């Protein structure tokens, strides 16, 4: 049986000792304990914390990195908990890999990059460019932002597309939602 890969998205700013870092570590730990491999963008913040939590729970950690980003932010490299590094030249290739080749995606707190990741997953599932998969957003940032968007976009978003995003209050609820999902359909 192939291990399912869960892409965890989130901001690069959180440092060890912060609530956001601890939440991401717990997410990585719970995913590994549930038998999932964890894929992240491979660098700092939420990506590092989720990688660390998974690695410390003996899980497999995939870091999807990018030469362009490392050139732009000189000295940036994959975090120490990454066990398998998949490297791309551009941000768009990196993002597309994280979105397309996961079995589910989870978004923790983040900024513009994380918002673009959530939007891309949602859009590609909606248009059926990628196979249907759970897209779980965690915490009040996402509940407020996406609920406000959905409500304000009156008539622009079909009811069935609203249901493609799953809202979780915290890590434990996200893991329950993930584990309750039916098996992912195969490509035709």
């Amino acid at each position: 049986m192939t291990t399912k890969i869960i892409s965890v998205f989130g901001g690069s700013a959180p440092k060890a000792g912060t609530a956001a870092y601890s939440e991401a570590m717990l997410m990585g730990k719970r995913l590994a304990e549930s038998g999932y491999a964890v894929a992240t963008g491979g660098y700092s913040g939420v990506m590092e914390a989720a990688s660390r939590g998974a690695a410390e729970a003996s899980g497999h950690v995939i870091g999807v990195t990018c030469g362009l980003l490392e050139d732009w932010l000189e000295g940036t490299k994959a975090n120490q908990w990454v066990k398998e590094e998949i490297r791309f030249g551009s941000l768009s290739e990196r993002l597309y890999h994280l979105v397309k080749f996961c079995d589910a995606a989870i978004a923790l707190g983040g900024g513009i990059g994380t918002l673009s990741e959530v939007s891309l997953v949602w859009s590609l599932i909606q248009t059926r460019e990628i196979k249907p998969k759970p897209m779980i957003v965690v915490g009040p940032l996402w509940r407020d932002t996406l609920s406000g968007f959905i409500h304000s976009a009156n008539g622009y978003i079909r009811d069935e597309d609203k249901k493609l995003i799953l809202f979780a209050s915290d890590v434990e609820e996200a893991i329950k939602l993930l584990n309750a999902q039916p098996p992912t359909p195969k490509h035709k």
Side-chain angles (χ1 to χ4, degrees), residues 160-180:
E160 62 265 24
D161 295 331
K162 293 174 186 177
K163 296 174 185 172
L164 297 175
I165 299 282
L166 303 173
F167 294 91
S169 298
D170 57 26
V171 169
E172 301 303 338
E173 185 178 0
I175 297 298
K176 285 178 187 171
L177 282 170
L178 180 63
N179 289 334

Side-chain angles (χ1 to χ4, degrees), residues 85-135:
E85 185 175 4
I86 300 171
R87 189 169 175 74
F88 291 98
S90 73
L91 286 169
S92 56
E93 291 172 302
R94 171 184 179 239
L95 174 56
Y96 192 72
H97 183 83
L98 279 164
V99 168
K100 183 171 182 177
F101 294 101
C102 67
D103 294 289
I106 296 176
L108 298 171
I112 296 167
T114 310
L115 178 60
S116 72
E117 292 157 350
V118 169
S119 298
L120 184 62
V121 173
W122 193 8
S123 177
L124 294 179
I125 293 170
Q126 178 223 11
T127 59
R128 295 177 182 81
E129 183 170 335
I130 61 174
K131 66 183 178 183
K133 59 187 73 183
M135 174 68 240

Side-chain angles (χ1 to χ4, degrees), residues 6 8 27-36 38 106 175 178:
I6 311 302
V8 178
M27 179 63 74
K29 177 181 178 185
R30 292 288 189 261
L31 288 169
E33 289 171 347
S34 295
Y36 300 111
V38 173
I106 296 176
I175 297 298
L178 180 63

Side-chain angles (χ1 to χ4, degrees), residues 17-32:
T18 65
Y21 192 95
S22 296
E23 176 186 51
M25 269 190 71
L26 180 61
M27 179 63 74
K29 177 181 178 185
R30 292 288 189 261
L31 288 169

